[in-house]
Amino acid sequence: MKEEQIYSGKAKTIYRTDDPSKLIAHFRNSLTAFDGKKKSEAPNKGYYNAQISKKIFEMLESEGIRTHFIEMVSDTEMLIDTVEIIKIEVIVRNIAAGSITRKYPIEEKTHFKDPIIVFDFKSDEYGDPMLNDDIAVALGVATYDEMEKIRTIALRINKLLVEYMNKVDLLLPDFKLEFGRKDGEIVLADEISCDTCRLWDKKTGQSMDKDIFRFDKGDLSKAYEEVARRIVPEIFA
Ligand code: UDP
């Protein structure tokens, strides 16, 4: 049973339930970019992202990756395990786009021979600065052992996601993961959706992700719907 709201982020609201070990995540239609400086709403965005995320969490679970996903409780709400969130954004990159092309002499669309993992300290106050294992440990946000485990799981997820997206004619330049702790284990948390992945149509190269909103590249809801049609065709049946 859904109880009071405990947290409202940029695109999801988290509610307590009558069971302290479970929470409800509501995917909203709100959108933000550039550290919250740009804001908007897109019809059905929450629905498409929730359904895409659910399908991907189920696929990852079937491959032995532990996630916080339990079940959908409505079209836009998922029941999730309560985990202790690790304050690190784990970015995995396969093709150069976004910040890496601004910060380093790397041209957009460069295909990396091996995936690149970047860890950012999840802190609005400090502007999500990049961190390495030593800084993570010094800050007390993770142990060396956890950093190693997160890296291994992130690379495994990347391999599975690249193959999965390829089958539906999507390229996966990069994406962001968040992890939590539960019962001494590392668990995939947050979401995997068009808000947290760059997805390019394999044939046209067009963005089908939040870059449409960041750079006013067209109709975001239509693009997310198209991604949902490819990943969760069953919801359109
Ligand atoms: N990303 C995210 N949340 C963040 C930062 C990044 O979901 O707070 C995702 C983003 O959608 C992209 C990837 O992580 O798929 C890499 O983002 P990048 O560092 O290039 O940042 P950007 O160029 O979007 O500012």
Side-chain angles (χ1 to χ4, degrees):
M1 232 186 41
K2 189 158 125 188
E3 293 184 353
E4 83 272 22
Q5 172 183 322
I6 51 172
Y7 170 78
S8 190
K10 289 167 187 143
K12 291 193 296 302
T13 303
I14 308 295
Y15 296 88
R16 222 187 285 286
T17 69
D18 50 9
D19 177 349
S21 73
K22 297 182 177 75
L23 301 170
I24 287 174
H26 174 223
F27 287 67
R28 305 195 318 268
N29 289 338
S30 46
L31 273 160
T32 72
F34 309 118
D35 298 324
K37 283 184 211 96
K38 184 168 175 167
K39 282 190 193 144
S40 190
E41 294 263 326
N44 298 321
K45 187 206 74 137
Y47 173 58
Y48 297 133
N49 274 351
Q51 298 296 325
I52 290 164
S53 225
K54 164 200 187 258
K55 188 75 180 268
I56 293 173
F57 281 144
E58 285 174 342
M59 181 277 286
L60 294 174
E61 288 273 356
S62 79
E63 297 288 342
I65 289 167
R66 193 154 173 210
T67 80
H68 70 165
F69 176 74
I70 303 171
E71 62 180 3
M72 296 305 289
V73 292
S74 77
D75 280 353
T76 56
E77 293 171 306
M78 51 174 72
L79 189 67
I80 57 175
D81 285 314
T82 306
V83 302
E84 184 192 348
I85 289 288
I86 297 170
K87 293 176 85 62
I88 295 177
E89 296 193 341
V90 181
I91 313 247
V92 186
R93 299 181 178 278
N94 298 299
I95 305 170
S99 65
I100 199 164
T101 65
R102 296 190 296 267
K103 290 183 189 165
Y104 305 94
I106 300 176
E107 263 194 69
E108 186 173 66
K109 299 194 177 72
T110 304
H111 287 244
F112 300 120
K113 191 169 145 285
D114 296 304
I116 292 174
I117 295 196
V118 175
F119 297 108
D120 287 345
F121 177 40
K122 204 173 140 62
S123 163
D124 285 340
E125 190 186 350
Y126 288 88
D128 298 344
M130 195 196 288
L131 48 66
N132 62 14
D133 291 16
D134 287 346
I135 297 176
V137 171
L139 285 170
V141 296
T143 65
Y144 286 111
D145 180 53
E146 285 174 332
M147 293 299 283
E148 183 59 39
K149 281 188 179 138
I150 288 170
R151 202 184 155 77
T152 304
I153 302 169
L155 286 172
R156 182 106 205 285
I157 292 172
N158 183 49
K159 205 158 172 283
L160 292 164
L161 275 184
V162 167
E163 283 168 21
Y164 191 84
M165 297 301 179
N166 185 46
K167 283 189 199 145
V168 293
D169 289 329
L170 291 170
L171 291 174
L172 180 66
D174 55 40
F175 58 98
K176 188 256 307 179
L177 301 172
E178 290 183 31
F179 293 91
R181 304 180 183 94
K182 188 169 178 82
D183 311 326
E185 260 190 85
I186 300 290
V187 176
L188 178 65
D190 196 46
E191 66 181 275
I192 298 184
S193 72
C194 297
D195 276 6
T196 62
C197 298
R198 279 200 170 87
L199 295 167
W200 293 347
D201 182 76
K202 221 161 54 178
K203 292 191 191 92
T204 65
Q206 289 215 349
S207 290
M208 302 182 72
D209 55 57
K210 212 166 93 173
D211 274 349
I212 295 172
F213 167 66
R214 291 189 188 99
F215 307 111
D216 302 309
K217 291 206 264 190
D219 186 337
L220 180 127
S221 294
K222 236 170 104 185
Y224 281 32
E225 179 188 331
E226 175 55 26
V227 173
R229 281 186 186 278
R230 297 187 197 188
I231 295 179
V232 272
E234 58 274 18
I235 64 172
F236 297 92

